[in-house]
Structure formats: structure tokens, C-alpha cells
């Protein structure tokens, strides 16, 4: 809506997949940045890549809000003096993720690591190995909502894993299925929240 492009949702999804395919071909990794994605959007729409990426980031930051349950868990862990880092499969840079989290109440993180900056992910298991080396020995507990990326792969890396409920899966039984993509997206967001 901010960019005023018809069918932007589909263009954006295709651009991300195209960027990931290109990255896999050129670098051997499907990890991309938001700018990589918007280079593909620029080819399709003419919207300048930097401007498009900035618009998406600002929109995402404006609409992002904390999961109240996870925010309470975060605050309890902080009170107990636990080291808290963020590990994410994401195309946004770590500093951007930190800003978004701080806006939502998740401040004073020890560190933030994102897949696009390491060329490997939680989903392929590589990010656990990279970050495990940086953190050094010790007991690490990973909290996430994806059974494979956050559960099995964390355990394979020697980390303890705690799975929390996935909002999309929890909301699925309560969704009406025959809606337009835009209305359905809004509806899913409200149900998940």
C-alpha cells in the first residue's frame, strides 16, 4: 500500500524466492538481505531498491508488536540474570532486528545474530554451529516455535530446546478460509494476535 503497486504481495514473494535462488547459485546459500530482495522488486516494478527496502522496514517496525507471553518470559529471564541473545533466520540485519525488538520492550539484549549476515541458517543447522563457536562452551537453551529449525536443529548442535506455541498453527482452526489475500492476511493477523 505504501508503494502503491498493484499485486505487490505476489511480486514481493516472487522477488524473495528469485533472490534466494540467485544467492544459492552465486554464493551456495539461500540467505539474502532485504536489499537483495528489493533489487529483484526493482527489476519488476521500477521502485528503487533502497527506497523499497526502507519502506518495508519502516512499515514492519510500525506494525510490529510484542507477544505478551514471550515478553513476560523475557523479563523473568532478565530478572534472573540470564544471558539473552536473539538468533533468527531473517533477511533484516541484526541492528534492525534489535531496533524492532527494543521498540517492543525486548531491550538490553546481549547480542543478536541473523542468518543473512552469516550465510547459514537455523533451518540448515549452520547458524547454531557458527554462534556456538562465538558463545563458547556452556549450557545454552534455545526457545522457538518451529519443531525442526528451533527444536531438532538446536538439539543436534548440543543446545537444549524449548518449543513454544506457534501463533499460525494455534490460530489455524479459527480461520475462515475463503477470503481475499488482503482480507485473509488482516484476519489471520488479528486471530494470531
Amino acid at each position: 500500500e505504501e508503494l502503491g503497486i498493484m499485486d505487490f504481495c505476489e511480486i514481493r514473494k516472487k522477488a524473495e524466492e528469485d533472490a534466494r535462488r540467485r544467492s544459492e547459485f552465486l554464493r551456495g546459500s539461500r540467505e539474502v538481505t532485504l536489499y537483495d530482495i528489493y533489487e529483484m522488486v526493482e527489476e519488476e516494478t521500477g521502485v528503487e531498491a533502497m527506497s523499497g527496502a526502507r519502506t518495508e522496514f519502516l512499515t514492519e517496525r510500525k506494525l510490529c508488536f510484542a507477544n505478551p507471553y514471550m515478553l513476560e518470559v523475557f523479563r523473568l529471564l532478565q530478572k534472573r540474570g540470564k544471558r539473552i541473545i536473539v538468533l533468527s533466520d531473517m533477511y533484516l540485519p541484526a541492528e534492525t532486528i534489535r531496533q524492532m525488538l527494543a521498540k517492543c520492550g525486548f531491550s538490553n539484549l546481549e547480542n543478536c545474530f541473523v542468518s543473512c549476515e552469516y550465510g547459514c541458517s537455523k533451518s540448515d543447522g549452520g547458524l547454531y554451529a557458527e554462534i556456538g563457536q562465538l558463545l563458547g562452551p556452556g549450557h545454552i537453551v534455545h526457545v522457538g516455535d518451529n519443531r525442526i529449525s528451533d527444536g531438532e536443529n538446536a538439539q543436534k548442535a548440543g543446545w537444549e530446546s524449548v518449543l513454544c506455541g506457534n501463533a499460525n498453527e494455534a490460530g489455524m482452526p479459527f480461520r475462515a478460509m475463503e477470503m481475499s489475500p488482503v482480507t485473509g492476511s488482516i484476519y489471520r493477523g488479528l486471530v494470531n494476535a
Side-chain angles (χ1 to χ4, degrees):
E1 188 175 313
E2 293 285 331
L3 295 173
I5 298 171
M6 295 277 295
D7 201 26
F8 182 75
C9 183
E10 291 306 312
I11 292 169
R12 169 62 175 75
K13 285 184 207 174
K14 183 181 180 306
E16 183 171 346
E17 182 53 36
D18 290 347
R20 289 185 185 285
R21 255 192 247 113
R22 181 175 67 181
S23 177
E24 187 172 33
F25 177 75
L26 295 174
R27 299 182 283 239
S29 166
R30 288 182 54 82
E31 294 304 313
V32 296
T33 65
L34 186 61
Y35 182 75
D36 295 334
I37 295 167
Y38 272 87
E39 283 184 325
M40 305 305 274
V41 170
E42 182 175 0
E43 289 177 20
E44 181 71 22
T45 66
V47 170
E48 194 270 323
M50 278 303 239
S51 173
R54 178 159 177 72
T55 301
E56 180 168 324
F57 163 66
L58 292 173
T59 303
E60 182 131 18
R61 187 173 68 185
K62 179 172 65 173
L63 299 175
C64 191
F65 62 93
N67 173 319
Y69 175 79
M70 291 308 297
L71 186 57
E72 184 62 22
V73 169
F74 174 80
R75 289 179 177 151
L76 289 170
L77 290 171
Q78 276 191 324
K79 283 181 186 175
R80 293 185 177 158
K82 301 295 183 185
R83 295 173 65 189
I84 301 176
I85 64 165
V86 171
L87 193 68
S88 181
D89 285 350
M90 180 48 98
Y91 45 76
L92 294 172
E95 187 51 38
T96 300
I97 297 293
R98 276 181 176 272
Q99 290 172 18
M100 290 173 70
L101 289 169
K103 174 206 168 252
C104 295
F106 298 92
S107 53
N108 300 318
L109 297 166
E110 181 175 317
N111 215 325
C112 181
F113 304 100
V114 293
S115 58
C116 71
E117 294 178 348
Y118 287 87
C120 55
S121 65
K122 294 188 302 181
S123 63
D124 68 22
L127 194 56
Y128 291 109
E130 289 280 336
I131 304 314
Q133 287 181 340
L134 291 173
L135 296 176
H139 184 236
I140 302 172
V141 178
H142 179 73
V143 178
D145 68 357
N146 184 283
R147 185 179 55 79
I148 295 170
S149 294
D150 297 315
E152 293 175 15
N153 289 347
Q155 290 172 353
K156 285 178 189 173
W159 297 20
E160 186 177 336
S161 174
V162 175
L163 290 177
C164 57
N166 179 296
N168 289 317
E169 291 172 10
M172 189 64 75
F174 306 104
R175 291 191 190 132
M177 293 298 166
E178 298 190 15
M179 294 182 170
S180 73
V182 173
T183 304
S185 178
I186 294 166
Y187 182 79
R188 285 189 301 276
L190 291 171
V191 168
N192 291 349

